[in-house]
Each structure stands twice: as structure tokens, then as C-alpha cells.
Amino acid sequence: MGAVKDFAGRVAFITGGASGAGLGQARVFGRAGARVAVADVRADALAGAVAQLARQGVDAHPVVLDITDRAAYARAADAVEAHFGDPVTLLFNTAGVNGFGSVETMTYDDFDWILGVNLGGVVNGMRTFVPRMIDAGLGGHVTSVASVGGFEGSRMTGPYSAAKAAVISLMESFAQVLPAHGIGVTVLCPASIRSNISESHLTRGVAEATGVLTDDDFVGGLREVYSHGMDPEHLALHLKRAIEHDDLYAIPYPEVRDDLERTFGRILDAVPDTDELAPEGADQRLRALARFRADARERADTARSAT
Ligand SMILES: NC(=O)c1ccc[n+]([C@@H]2O[C@H](COP(=O)([O-])OP(=O)(O)OC[C@H]3O[C@@H](n4cnc5c(N)ncnc54)[C@H](O)[C@@H]3O)[C@@H](O)[C@H]2O)c1
């Protein structure tokens, strides 16, 4: 089973599908013939999005879901598979929220909300669907939407950047095992999308205390920035190409190259050519790691052949 190139008839599950990047994905993959479960926490926005998709000829099914609710996630997966009569083989962990505010003012509530949706929601998506996709044996593809913000900390988006960094790492891990099951993995790292993310706080429950800025002036400024972001359909077309090419990373923003070079350059600069205090240490560590890896591989092969 190679990369997914034909989306026709496959069932896609897209979180955050009522708006922005998720809605763009629903349009693009729906037009490519996928049957699309559009999941979102906002029932009103979802109804409008699905009606719009239906007018465009997309076979779209609405799912009201808070991706931080694990039991609800499992029920949603059952309901979608029953509705379409087929398993989900395309998963898009796209829903996300951002909250801007100086990192030292962020409260526990802020961390819980932002990490809960952006990281916890992805974990829940993977735990819900990956075992089902493996069992179905039909291959497929999983995509998580992280951010270029996940490659670098930021004083104004501390919890968000931390969550996105974790999502990138998680997808790197899944990419080491899922291809053996015919399932491709992509982590999409956008820079700026024309979306409603500046209104994220409206999807939040009541916070006990918050360092997230929500005054009209600040939100208006953010709205202006994102109004110049990439069109969600263009972004979804870039993603489609990445899936077809089985690319782990999709970062379709040429303007971020210099920043990424600076970030990774800074990280590499912290690595010395030799350990001056114990020059032989590196060789010993590498040999120990190689022995451990060979042993672990042997154990995994034995366990696999026993099942
Ligand atoms: N907008 C940008 O510039 C930008 C940049 C980099 C990454 N991203 C990422 O792109 C993804 C999509 O965001 P967007 O920009 O399209 O924003 P958006 O606000 O337009 O869409 C996000 C959708 O997720 C939904 N959502 C929020 N919390 C949810 C929850 N708990 N359960 C289910 N649905 C929930 C919202 O209702 C909304 O419809 C996010 O992961 C975001 O972090 C956005």
C-alpha cells in the first residue's frame, strides 16, 4: 500500500471543520471524492458549513464534538462509521485554539485550555482512530495541523507553541510505525491562515482567571493580520499534494525559511564537535544505544511473529 493518491470513496474525519483550515480541507478533499465527517464544537457554525459544503456537492456529515472529551470522541467515531457504512481512513486533526498573552501571565486555566485542545485533542484523535485504521487494514493517512510556531517559543503564545511543538514530535513518532500499516503521516505547519482563530476565546468555557488578551483592540489587530493569511483552500491543496507524495512535513510558506534556519542553526550551535571533558564518552554512548536498539528490534520481531 503506497501513498494515498485516490481520495474517492474514502471516509475523512476533519476536526475544526466548521471554519478556516478545516473547512478548506472539507472542500478540497470532498471535491476529490471523499465522504467527509465535519466535526466541530460549535453547532451553529457547523450547520452553516455543512449546508455550504452540500451546495458544493460534497457528501458532508456534521458531528458536534468537543475533541477534549474522550468518551464523546469514541461515540462520534462509531456514529460516523455507522453513517457512512465504512471506516474512517483519512484523519485530519485540525481543530485548534490560540490565546495571546505574555507567557508569565498565563494561568493554569489558560495552559489547560490551550494544551487541552491543541495537544490533548490530537492525542484523542490518534487514540480514537489509529487502532481502528490499523484494524480496518485499508491503509489511509493521518494529518495533524501544528504550526511553524511549534519550532520556536514565543513570549506571546507560550502554551500554544509548546502544544504545537509536542504535536510535531508526536507525528514524528507515529511516522515511524504507521507506514508499516499502509498509513501515511503528515504534520502541516502553517504560518498564517485566513481564518477565525482570532476569535478562539469564544469557544472557551468560563475561565477562573486568564492572561489571554481579548479586548476589542487586540482582537481587531489579530483579525487584520489573519485576514492576509493563506486561503484555507490553497492550504488544503498544498496538504493534498503532501499526502499524495507521502511527505511527513508540509510547510508551504516560503517566508519562514530564514527563521527556521536561524532557529535550527542556534540549536546546532549548542552541539560541540567533541566532548572536551571526556572525548571517548560519545563512542561509548553510541555503542550502548546501538546494542539497546538491536535488542529492542529483536524483541519487537519476536513479539510480532508470536501474534
Ligand atoms: N490561523 C493561523 O494563522 C494558523 C497558523 C498556524 C496554525 N494554525 C492551526 O490551524 C488549525 C485550524 O485553525 P484555523 O486557523 O482554521 O482557526 P479557526 O478558528 O477558523 O478554526 C478552528 C475550528 O476549531 C474549532 N474548535 C475549537 N475548539 C474545539 C474543540 N475543543 N473541539 C472541536 N472543535 C474545536 C473551532 O470552533 C473552529 O471552527 C489550528 O490547529 C490552528 O492552531 C492556524
Side-chain angles (χ1 to χ4, degrees), residues 23 102 237:
L23 183 52
S102 206
L237 286 170

Side-chain angles (χ1 to χ4, degrees), residues 16 18-21 40-42 65-67 94-97 117-118 145-147 160 164 190-193 195-197 203 226:
S19 170
D40 206 286
V41 72
R42 291 178 304 135
L65 172 67
D66 178 346
I67 57 169
T94 303
V97 292
V117 177
N118 292 302
V145 180
S147 167
Y160 179 81
K164 295 301 188 181
S192 177
I193 311 167
S195 77
N196 295 308
I197 200 150
T203 63
Y226 292 120

Side-chain angles (χ1 to χ4, degrees), residues 79-294:
V80 163
E81 292 183 353
H83 172 82
F84 286 117
D86 278 312
V88 169
T89 57
L90 300 170
L91 170 64
F92 299 85
N93 293 307
T94 303
V97 292
N98 203 348
F100 289 79
S102 206
V103 64
E104 83 284 10
T105 68
M106 291 287 180
T107 63
Y108 280 129
D109 236 56
D110 295 331
F111 275 95
D112 288 347
W113 173 53
I114 295 169
L115 288 169
V117 177
N118 292 302
L119 175 56
V122 171
V123 170
N124 296 345
M126 298 303 276
R127 280 303 308 151
T128 304
F129 280 113
V130 166
R132 291 172 189 242
M133 287 171 75
I134 291 173
D135 282 351
L138 299 171
H141 202 95
V142 293
T143 297
S144 290
V145 180
S147 167
V148 289
F151 294 113
E152 196 177 20
S154 155
R155 58 176 291 182
M156 289 300 281
T157 58
Y160 179 81
S161 298
K164 295 301 188 181
V167 169
I168 292 168
S169 171
L170 195 61
M171 298 315 278
E172 286 256 7
S173 300
F174 274 104
Q176 292 175 21
V177 287
L178 293 189
H181 300 278
I183 301 168
V185 178
T186 294
V187 57
L188 173 64
C189 300
S192 177
I193 311 167
R194 197 182 313 146
S195 77
N196 295 308
I197 200 150
S198 56
E199 324 282 335
S200 286
H201 55 282
L202 301 178
T203 63
R204 182 182 191 178
V206 180
E208 279 173 22
T210 182
V212 173
L213 300 172
T214 55
D215 59 278
D216 290 349
D217 256 14
F218 186 79
V219 172
L222 280 181
R223 202 178 293 125
E224 160 65 14
V225 171
Y226 292 120
S227 71
H228 298 283
M230 187 180 288
D231 179 291
E233 275 195 51
H234 289 170
L235 183 60
L237 286 170
H238 283 296
L239 172 59
K240 183 166 171 281
R241 198 175 311 153
I243 293 173
E244 288 162 352
H245 292 178
D246 211 7
D247 293 337
L248 173 56
Y249 280 97
I251 313 177
Y253 290 81
E255 69 272 26
V256 306
R257 173 176 289 279
D258 289 351
D259 274 353
L260 288 183
E261 267 173 6
R262 259 192 304 276
T263 301
F264 287 110
R266 255 192 302 121
I267 293 170
L268 288 175
D269 285 347
V271 182
D273 289 334
T274 53
D275 176 353
E276 286 169 12
L277 298 182
E280 72 289 353
D283 278 343
Q284 285 172 11
R285 291 189 291 271
L286 283 173
R287 273 198 298 274
L289 209 57
R291 279 195 300 273
F292 174 77
R293 281 193 178 132

